[in-house]
């Protein structure tokens, strides 16, 4: 299969700032780490439905993936960011229909309590664990093909860390 013949999947992502200006990452239940145990830490993200506004989609995805949409948008990345799947995942990941994803990213401030975060809200949860991390650690947690996007998110949203810390 030639990846160049496949489209990118439209997607939204959430850099969800919580206590002390840290961000929420979740561990994928279906992506093992090098030792075969659960791994694959990532930010909440998901597809945009046909005709759906990305600002609506990001709240829908938060509710589906972490059980709550109690947040407010602080910033929107000005560009759509893309990544390509590695060759071994083309035709398998993302339903086998896409070469990668074209993403609109948002920085949000979490307005709820930790009790609101429910990874079991969906009958088939995508994640099995979550934690708060420093924004600057995101690239080290990402799978290699998503690392450049996470590096860009750190650059784009680093200015928000201090203001979120001051509100906590």
């Amino acid at each position: 299969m030639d990846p160049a013949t496949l489209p990118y999947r439209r997607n939204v992502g959430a850099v969800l700032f919580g206590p002390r200006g840290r961000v929420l990452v979740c561990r994928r239940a279906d992506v093992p780490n090098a030792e075969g145990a659960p791994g694959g830490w990532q930010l909440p993200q998901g597809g945009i439905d046909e005709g759906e506004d990305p600002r609506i989609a990001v709240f829908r995805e938060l509710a589906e993936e972490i059980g709550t949409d109690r947040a407010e948008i602080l910033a929107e990345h000005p560009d759509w960011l893309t990544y390509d799947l590695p060759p071994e995942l083309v035709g398998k990941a993302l339903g086998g229909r896409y070469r990668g994803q074209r993403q609109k990213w948002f920085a949000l401030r979490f307005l709820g309590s930790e009790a609101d975060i429910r990874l079991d809200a969906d009958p088939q949860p995508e994640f099995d664990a979550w934690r708060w991390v420093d924004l600057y650690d995101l690239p080290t947690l990402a799978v290699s093909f998503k690392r450049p996007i996470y590096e860009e998110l750190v650059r784009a949203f680093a200015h928000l860390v201090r203001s979120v810390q001051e509100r906590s």
Side-chain angles (χ1 to χ4, degrees):
M1 176 178 301
D2 180 7
T5 64
L6 297 173
Y8 286 102
R9 178 179 180 235
R10 284 176 29 99
N11 184 281
V12 291
V15 179
L16 186 63
F17 285 91
R20 300 184 312 276
R22 301 181 91 200
V23 296
L24 181 106
V25 293
C26 299
R27 187 175 64 192
R28 300 250 341 189
D30 62 344
V31 178
N33 65 19
E35 292 79 38
W41 291 92
Q42 72 175 49
L43 298 165
Q45 64 176 56
I48 300 173
D49 293 337
E50 185 67 35
E52 186 177 30
D53 183 287
R55 288 176 161 259
I56 302 298
V58 74
F59 286 105
R60 178 184 50 74
E61 283 296 328
L62 282 174
E64 288 175 7
E65 292 190 348
I66 66 165
T68 182
D69 62 359
R70 299 198 59 207
E72 66 179 351
I73 294 176
L74 299 172
E76 177 178 336
H77 194 283
D79 301 317
W80 286 82
L81 305 176
T82 60
Y83 73 81
D84 290 317
L85 291 168
E88 66 271 14
L89 293 180
V90 173
K92 297 176 186 150
L94 304 176
R97 302 182 320 205
Y98 303 97
R99 68 192 289 178
Q101 299 201 82
R102 182 174 181 252
Q103 302 176 304
K104 177 54 81 170
W105 283 92
F106 296 90
L108 302 102
R109 184 169 69 95
F110 184 52
L111 301 175
S113 72
E114 290 190 358
D116 294 322
I117 299 172
R118 299 258 334 266
L119 302 182
D120 62 352
D122 189 285
Q124 295 186 332
E126 188 170 335
F127 304 119
D128 65 3
W130 65 272
R131 63 185 171 146
W132 299 108
V133 301
D134 289 335
L135 177 73
Y136 306 100
D137 291 339
L138 287 178
T140 65
L141 298 171
V143 293
S144 60
F145 59 92
K146 290 184 182 180
R147 196 163 294 136
I149 286 186
Y150 281 33
E151 289 168 348
E152 173 57 26
L153 295 173
V154 170
R155 281 189 295 274
F157 298 142
H159 70 282
L160 298 170
V161 173
R162 187 169 196 91
S163 66
V164 174
Q165 286 172 333
E166 291 169 356
R167 290 184 185 177
S168 294

